[in-house]
Amino acid sequence: MIKRLAYRFFRWFCHPDYFDEIQGDLEELYQRNVEQSGRMAQWKYLLQVLGLFRPSLIRSFPQPYLTHPAMLRHYFNISTRVLLRQKLFTTINILGLAIGLASFLLISEYIRFEESYDRFFTDADQIYRLSTVQIVNGEVRDKDAAIYHPGPQTLKEELPEVEEATVTYKFDELIFRQGESIIQEQGVIAADSNFFSVFDYQIIQGKLETMLIEPYSLILTESKARFYFGDQDPLGQMLEVLGSFDRPFKVTGVMQDVPEKTHYKFDMLISDASIRERTERESWSFNNYYGFVKLRKHTTPTALDGKLEAFAKKYMGKNPNERFVIYPVPNIHLESDFAYEPESPGSAKAVNFLRLIALFILLIAWVNYVNLSTARAVNRAQEVGLRKVVGAAKRQLISQFLLEALLVNLVAGVLALLVSELLLPYFSQLVGKPVTPHVWNHWPFLLNLLLFFLIGTFVSGFYPALVLSGFRPIAVLKGKFHNSRSGTRLRKGLVVVQFAASVVLIAATFIVFRQVQFMHGKDLGISTDYVVGVNLPDVPGDQREANQTSVQSLSEALRGHTAIETVGGTSNLPGGDGTDINSTTDKVGITGFTELIDGTTYAQYNDEYFLDAVGMQLLAGRNFDRNRIADSMVVMVNHAFLRRFDIADVDRMLGEEVQFDWKGGRNKFEIIGIVKDFNRTSLKSQVEPTIYFPRYAPSNLVIKLRPEQYHQGLAYLQETWAEFFPNAPLDYSFLDDRFAALYEQDQRFGDIFATFSGLAIFIAMLGLFGLSSFMAMQRTAEVGVRKVLGATVPSIIGIFYRDFLVLLGIAGLISIPTVYFGMNGWLQSYAYRIDFPWLLAGAALLIVVLFALLTVGYQVYQVAVLNPAKTLRHE
């Protein structure tokens, strides 16, 4: 077998002048090897043949006719002439393909960016976050991204599958002082000495093994090092950290800037040892930390499920319903549904929607090319017939028409690259992410461009090439050629696809904007207009009493100004993200009415002015009163807290006690008031069951300004703040701006949807313009005859409309259910949402119908108004 194949290969490539002589020698050697080596002789024969495969012995092969340079040049000349002769249709095809390809590639870059979060680490697939979940009645009730401080390291010590572990703490903000400058930093985390064993960020300066061991050590990113120290060597330099630390930190290292593509961003690291007092105090009591583990290779997360459950029971006996889970770090950005994420996650659903938009746009552009190419088949029929008569083979014709498609797609591809490069800054601004600095030197983009240029050439060119090359020359030259029914049905089917895709995109855009509008306009249960939230400075323990005196004096001074209505205090400002509130997973109940039940209960600490400052409504009972000694052990609850226990009688709960499952100490608090539910965060979340405790030493202020004097009120706030807190910058924000920021991602999603939906519709209408223009010109004689027989212009336009209205009706039957199932699923991700807007879906269909009828009507009108004498002259 091997010898036979080798012989055939040798006969194929060997020059005939040498074949007989060399073949005789090979045969003699083979017989000799059979006697000496047996079966190995065949392999030796093969090696000898391969050794003879060299230029001096290879025969000359005739060049294929189809790829001969002269033939290719001929194809190119014909294709160029055809494309230049049909300028309108060529322009429509190139413009549609270029816009479609550019849109598709830019969206693909954004999708690649979103899906590449946290994948730049060397062992990204082995890194998991350790988190907690609450199991109630066998179901996961609450998910918390945070973990207890000892958790990761203890897990490493007890589970051999864990290779490395690290724990971190994310600060809301820290205030630094360098000389006379006071800088507020948001991106600071505390990390233990194992941090770089899990996350292999590049270290630029410093000793990796020791830089996070000593207390009050500080690591800067490269940009922060330049910001604080310029060209000086930052190692060993000191930066003073104010607030609860109020002491200098030593710079022990400089690391690379943290990429944008991570869910856990920071600019500075301080050593975990710097907050040792806090971590010892909280230990297994408070899950305020983010922990990560690196599993050994070939360890699957499911293999740890049983061990994690046993681990939780061992260390969390006080809360047997709490479990530990590990979650892949690369999946956090798009797929996490955990509370208390370090930053608001993205949306896998939104990314998938954009992927569909990109495919729709590209599909519509390809459909345009196929429709126009096959519709113009009548004009190319005689050309094909004559070429077949003089001997052109079908494969030659296919090659020529594919070359035409290649030229169109090549020009469109180059134009798409230029358009993408020009629009990249605007696109990055639209999506809110620095997708890539340039596309012309970005290899993933260029490879994508090349791939879809080739796919587009084949997809858009192959079917028209088959149609055009399949004409029968006798029928064509006798003038008996007509468009085939199958070709007509295909074009109509593709038009239906265009119309349906356009309706889906327009309706989806309307629904996204309607939902965003609904969230902006919904009554939150509080008043946010002209209400300013102020973050108060944190201070060391020995300065807290003096600091609270300053806060109290500041509040009194502000209340005395005519531009300020009132000033309240709270632990958490409304309009924060999911992490901006306190919570407990301890069992809770109402004494004498309910059992202690599992679940997460949220807690907020307010003073007696907070309700007035934000306009919260008391449904029953009274407010806090700092002059009552007994009010140290009272609470208010919201309506959602009572609904959790299926309690409808609000007034009956006044004077009853909320009880926590706390061992030792006071665990009962009298209910003195029930407040109306209010949305403290995004409407994607339900109002949480919340208990409000009195605290007259707040960490934040809410200041209600008088609308007509709010400029004076802000100016007075800044002036008074500088008087009481000269070493802390004023950090304030309007509550309505805070809530608006919560919907920024949804608003951005709507803007992206609207922009690319508009482009898709433009491409679709561009193709429809070309198709209707060609159809109108093709039926010019028919229109002339109808006019001679008495037909009016409106009746002629109506004839053309009839065909398109049928296609639009079919598109409506396809698109409306598609919109319902797709967008209704998207709306279900919001706790507070609009009902599915059937009117908006109908409006989207109506818009497409109007665009289509206007486009077709304009082209038909141009032909219908012509003088029949001119149109019938050559018939």
Side-chain angles (χ1 to χ4, degrees):
M1 179 66 178
I2 296 173
K3 178 180 180 297
R4 185 163 62 251
L5 292 174
Y7 170 76
R8 289 179 179 176
F9 177 62
F10 177 66
R11 186 175 61 182
W12 175 74
F13 76 76
C14 185
H15 196 284
D17 293 344
Y18 311 130
F19 177 76
D20 292 334
E21 182 179 350
I22 297 175
Q23 173 58 22
D25 294 339
L26 284 173
E27 194 63 36
E28 289 180 10
L29 288 172
Y30 174 72
Q31 295 300 332
R32 189 184 307 164
N33 289 330
V34 168
E35 296 174 1
Q36 296 176 356
S37 309
R39 293 184 177 180
M40 290 299 296
Q42 295 191 64
W43 292 102
K44 290 183 178 181
Y45 185 86
L46 175 62
L47 292 175
Q48 289 163 354
V49 168
L50 293 175
L52 293 170
F53 187 68
R54 47 182 182 263
S56 60
L57 298 179
I58 297 176
R59 67 186 177 92
S60 59
F61 293 94
Q63 189 167 17
Y65 181 65
L66 292 177
T67 58
H68 193 281
M71 197 64 197
L72 288 176
R73 188 163 54 250
H74 175 66
Y75 289 161
F76 179 79
N77 290 336
I78 292 178
S79 299
T80 304
R81 290 170 188 165
V82 170
L83 295 175
L84 291 177
R85 190 164 57 243
Q86 300 284 344
K87 293 184 178 64
L88 173 64
F89 302 113
T90 301
T91 301
I92 289 174
N93 279 331
I94 290 176
L95 190 59
L97 288 170
I99 295 175
L101 191 55
S103 302
F104 175 83
L105 293 174
L106 286 174
I107 294 176
S108 297
E109 280 304 304
Y110 171 69
I111 292 172
R112 181 184 292 112
F113 183 91
E114 287 288 284
E115 293 180 340
S116 64
Y117 264 60
D118 293 306
R119 297 187 184 277
F120 55 86
F121 299 115
T122 304
D123 301 314
D125 293 336
Q126 296 171 241
I127 303 175
Y128 293 80
R129 184 178 64 195
L130 184 64
S131 303
T132 58
V133 297
Q134 285 285 320
I135 308 294
V136 180
N137 297 326
E139 296 181 356
V140 176
R141 176 72 60 84
D142 298 298
K143 296 182 176 182
D144 194 333
I147 192 66
Y148 303 91
H149 185 272
Q153 190 60 39
T154 307
L155 195 70
K156 177 189 174 184
E157 294 170 358
E158 298 195 4
L159 271 63
E161 293 86 351
V162 178
E163 182 178 332
E164 296 290 348
T166 186
V167 66
T168 66
Y169 177 80
K170 185 177 185 297
F171 292 93
D172 292 332
E173 63 183 28
L174 284 180
I175 299 174
F176 288 74
R177 179 163 58 194
Q178 186 186 40
E180 298 298 320
S181 301
I182 296 177
I183 301 104
Q184 191 173 26
E185 295 286 359
Q186 303 285 345
V188 186
I189 67 173
D192 63 16
S193 57
N194 297 321
F195 183 80
F196 293 107
S197 299
V198 176
F199 301 104
D200 56 346
Y201 288 107
Q202 180 185 352
I203 302 301
I204 298 173
Q205 287 182 274
K207 294 182 179 180
L208 180 63
E209 300 80 11
T210 60
M211 58 175 56
L212 280 174
I213 290 180
E214 294 297 324
Y216 312 115
S217 300
L218 178 65
I219 298 176
L220 303 176
T221 57
E222 191 173 10
S223 59
K224 281 298 176 184
R226 283 196 303 270
F227 174 79
Y228 281 102
F229 301 106
D231 296 330
Q232 299 179 43
D233 184 1
L235 287 187
Q237 300 273 15
M238 307 298 288
L239 274 178
E240 188 174 2
V241 183
L242 304 179
S244 58
F245 290 105
D246 201 20
R247 60 158 298 137
F249 276 61
K250 181 180 179 181
V251 178
T252 57
V254 178
M255 60 175 284
Q256 71 175 105
D257 286 343
V258 176
E260 176 71 21
K261 298 184 290 186
T262 178
H263 81 285
Y264 201 19
K265 299 177 180 66
F266 59 91
D267 299 308
M268 298 179 175
L269 286 172
I270 68 172
S271 59
D272 182 66
S274 306
I275 58 171
R276 183 170 296 150
E277 179 183 345
R278 176 188 186 123
T279 58
E280 289 176 352
R281 181 177 70 250
E282 297 186 343
S283 188
W284 289 100
S285 300
F286 294 90
N287 55 336
N288 297 325
Y289 302 84
Y290 295 105
F292 302 89
V293 296
K294 181 179 176 182
L295 302 185
R296 298 189 186 279
K297 288 186 177 180
H298 311 302
T299 299
T300 60
T302 53
L304 298 182
D305 288 346
K307 295 184 177 182
L308 287 172
E309 184 174 354
F311 183 79
K313 289 179 179 178
K314 179 178 179 180
Y315 291 98
M316 299 305 299
K318 70 180 183 68
N319 193 347
N321 293 318
E322 193 161 20
R323 296 287 186 271
F324 293 118
V325 294
I326 56 175
Y327 196 82
V329 165
N331 295 356
I332 291 174
H333 175 64
L334 286 181
E335 299 177 11
S336 172
D337 56 352
F338 284 71
Y340 296 99
E341 286 290 353
E343 72 172 21
S344 297
S347 169
K349 191 171 288 187
V351 166
N352 289 331
F353 269 121
L354 292 177
R355 185 180 278 113
L356 282 176
I357 290 178
L359 290 173
F360 274 165
I361 291 174
L362 197 57
L363 179 65
I364 289 171
W366 287 343
V367 164
N368 282 351
Y369 186 91
V370 172
N371 265 345
L372 286 177
S373 298
T374 53
R376 289 188 299 131
V378 176
N379 290 0
R380 305 291 297 274
Q382 287 192 336
E383 172 197 342
V384 172
L386 286 171
R387 295 185 63 183
K388 280 193 170 184
V389 167
V390 298
K394 184 172 182 177
R395 62 180 182 276
Q396 292 174 307
L397 294 170
I398 290 176
S399 299
Q400 179 194 325
F401 296 131
L402 280 176
L403 181 61
E404 287 184 21
L406 186 143
L407 289 176
V408 171
N409 279 273
L410 179 61
V411 175
V414 173
L415 189 58
L417 179 62
L418 295 174
V419 169
S420 299
E421 180 67 25
L422 290 173
L423 296 182
L424 184 61
Y426 304 100
F427 177 74
S428 296
Q429 184 178 2
L430 178 68
V431 299
K433 300 286 179 68
V435 178
T436 181
H438 298 282
V439 295
W440 61 267
N441 61 353
H442 185 52
W443 281 109
F445 183 92
L446 296 177
L447 290 175
N448 229 4
L449 175 62
L450 176 62
L451 175 64
F452 282 92
F453 156 69
L454 296 174
I455 294 175
T457 299
F458 182 80
V459 169
S460 63
F462 189 70
Y463 178 76
L466 285 178
V467 171
L468 292 168
S469 63
F471 296 154
R472 289 183 299 169
I474 295 177
V476 167
L477 295 178
K478 285 184 176 181
K480 296 181 178 180
F481 168 77
H482 298 284
N483 277 327
S484 67
R485 290 184 178 180
S486 61
T488 302
R489 283 197 297 266
L490 174 67
R491 279 197 304 279
K492 288 182 177 179
L494 294 177
V495 170
V496 168
V497 169
Q498 283 185 316
F499 287 154
S502 300
V503 173
V504 169
L505 292 175
I506 294 175
T509 302
F510 284 169
I511 293 170
V512 170
F513 274 107
R514 183 69 187 89
Q515 174 63 23
V516 173
Q517 185 183 37
F518 168 77
M519 292 189 296
H520 279 297
K522 184 181 181 298
D523 180 14
L524 299 173
I526 59 173
S527 172
T528 60
D529 294 337
Y530 299 100
V531 180
V532 176
V534 177
N535 295 316
L536 294 172
D538 196 9
V539 295
D542 59 350
Q543 299 179 22
R544 285 178 184 167
E545 187 175 344
N547 182 71
Q548 287 306 318
T549 300
S550 298
V551 170
Q552 188 66 28
S553 299
L554 170 68
S555 301
E556 293 298 332
L558 293 174
R559 290 189 190 103
H561 196 273
T562 57
I564 297 174
E565 290 187 14
T566 188
V567 179
T570 183
S571 59
N572 307 93
L573 292 175
D577 58 22
T579 67
D580 195 10
I581 195 170
N582 305 288
S583 66
T584 177
T585 56
D586 293 304
K587 291 183 178 181
V588 66
I590 299 177
T591 305
F593 285 86
T594 69
E595 299 291 332
L596 297 178
I597 65 172
D598 294 301
T600 301
T601 304
Y602 294 83
Q604 187 169 336
Y605 302 85
N606 306 323
D607 67 11
E608 70 271 36
Y609 298 103
F610 177 76
L611 268 63
D612 290 337
V614 298
M616 280 181 66
Q617 299 179 33
L618 265 174
L619 298 177
R622 63 177 178 84
N623 198 352
F624 299 129
D625 186 349
R626 72 175 66 204
N627 296 318
R628 294 192 184 192
I629 299 176
D631 269 13
S632 61
M633 291 300 294
V634 298
V635 294
M636 290 190 287
V637 299
N638 66 354
H639 204 189
F641 180 81
L642 298 182
R643 284 200 304 272
R644 181 178 177 186
F645 299 97
D646 296 324
I647 296 174
D649 190 347
V650 171
D651 294 316
R652 189 179 179 188
M653 290 298 103
L654 295 177
E656 302 300 334
E657 291 181 323
V658 172
Q659 181 179 354
F660 292 91
D661 186 24
W662 294 341
K663 307 302 180 185
R666 296 182 177 180
N667 61 0
K668 295 182 180 180
F669 300 83
E670 180 188 351
I671 300 174
I672 63 168
I674 291 92
V675 298
K676 181 182 177 181
D677 289 341
F678 83 94
N679 292 91
R680 66 165 191 90
T681 186
S682 167
L683 295 180
K684 288 184 177 181
S685 305
Q686 291 277 4
V687 175
E688 303 104 335
T690 308
I691 300 176
Y692 301 97
F693 294 87
R695 178 181 290 176
Y696 307 112
S699 50
N700 303 279
L701 295 180
V702 281
I703 304 168
K704 176 67 173 178
L705 304 175
R706 300 187 187 280
E708 66 279 4
Q709 295 178 284
Y710 80 94
H711 286 297
Q712 295 93 315
L714 279 180
Y716 184 70
L717 169 62
Q718 293 167 342
E719 176 187 335
T720 312
W721 179 273
E723 178 183 344
F724 287 100
F725 299 103
N727 293 327
L730 174 61
D731 180 19
Y732 74 91
S733 57
F734 283 91
L735 295 194
D736 52 1
D737 289 338
R738 288 170 60 85
F739 276 99
L742 295 176
Y743 308 124
E744 182 178 356
Q745 187 179 33
D746 301 281
Q747 184 72 55
R748 196 178 299 281
F749 176 57
D751 293 342
I752 297 171
F753 223 116
T755 300
F756 287 99
S757 295
L759 287 175
I761 295 160
F762 172 75
I763 296 170
M765 293 305 135
L766 194 67
L768 184 62
F769 176 85
L771 184 61
S772 58
S773 174
F774 183 82
M775 290 173 63
M777 288 188 295
Q778 195 178 43
R779 297 173 68 177
T780 300
E782 175 192 338
V783 171
V785 171
R786 289 182 181 277
K787 289 193 72 175
V788 169
L789 296 175
T792 61
V793 172
S795 66
I796 293 172
I797 294 175
I799 293 171
F800 282 80
Y801 274 174
R802 185 175 56 204
D803 293 337
F804 280 99
L805 284 173
V806 171
L807 301 181
L808 286 164
I810 297 172
L813 293 175
I814 296 172
S815 59
I816 298 300
T818 302
V819 172
Y820 175 77
F821 288 111
M823 295 309 296
N824 201 48
W826 177 75
L827 288 171
Q828 286 175 358
S829 63
Y830 292 86
Y832 300 92
R833 46 159 287 187
I834 59 173
D835 294 326
F836 184 80
W838 293 101
L839 285 177
L840 289 181
L845 178 60
L846 181 61
I847 288 173
V848 172
V849 169
L850 290 175
F851 268 113
L853 295 184
L854 286 173
T855 304
V856 173
Y858 173 77
Q859 294 297 326
V860 177
Y861 178 79
Q862 296 288 94
V863 175
V865 296
L866 293 176
N867 189 336
K870 294 182 179 179
T871 59
L872 297 175
R873 181 180 302 170
H874 303 291
E875 293 298 321

Coordinates of all heavy atoms in Angstrom, one line a residue, residues 137 202 465 503 615 703 732:
N137 N -34.7 27.6 53.1 CA -35.7 26.6 52.6 C -35.1 25.9 51.3 O -35.8 25.6 50.4 CB -37.0 27.2 52.3 CG -37.7 27.7 53.5 OD1 -37.6 27.2 54.6 ND2 -38.4 28.8 53.4
Q202 N 2.5 43.4 37.1 CA 3.9 43.7 37.0 C 4.4 44.6 38.0 O 3.8 45.7 38.2 CB 4.2 44.2 35.6 CG 5.7 44.5 35.3 CD 5.9 45.1 34.0 OE1 5.0 45.2 33.2 NE2 7.1 45.5 33.7
A465 N -23.6 34.7 -8.3 CA -22.8 34.1 -9.3 C -23.4 32.9 -9.9 O -23.4 32.6 -11.1 CB -21.4 33.8 -8.7
V503 N -37.8 46.4 12.1 CA -38.9 46.6 13.1 C -38.4 46.2 14.5 O -38.6 46.9 15.5 CB -40.1 45.7 12.7 CG1 -41.2 45.8 13.8 CG2 -40.7 46.3 11.4
G615 N -37.7 64.1 52.7 CA -39.1 64.0 52.4 C -39.6 62.6 52.6 O -40.6 62.2 51.9
I703 N -28.6 67.8 52.9 CA -28.9 69.2 53.1 C -29.9 69.6 52.1 O -29.7 69.5 50.9 CB -27.6 70.1 52.9 CG1 -26.5 69.6 53.9 CG2 -27.9 71.6 53.1 CD1 -25.2 70.2 53.6
Y732 N -19.3 66.6 48.0 CA -20.7 66.6 48.0 C -21.3 66.3 46.6 O -20.6 66.3 45.6 CB -21.2 68.0 48.4 CG -21.1 69.1 47.3 CD1 -22.1 69.4 46.4 CD2 -19.9 69.9 47.2 CE1 -22.0 70.3 45.5 CE2 -19.8 70.8 46.3 CZ -20.8 71.1 45.4 OH -20.7 72.0 44.4

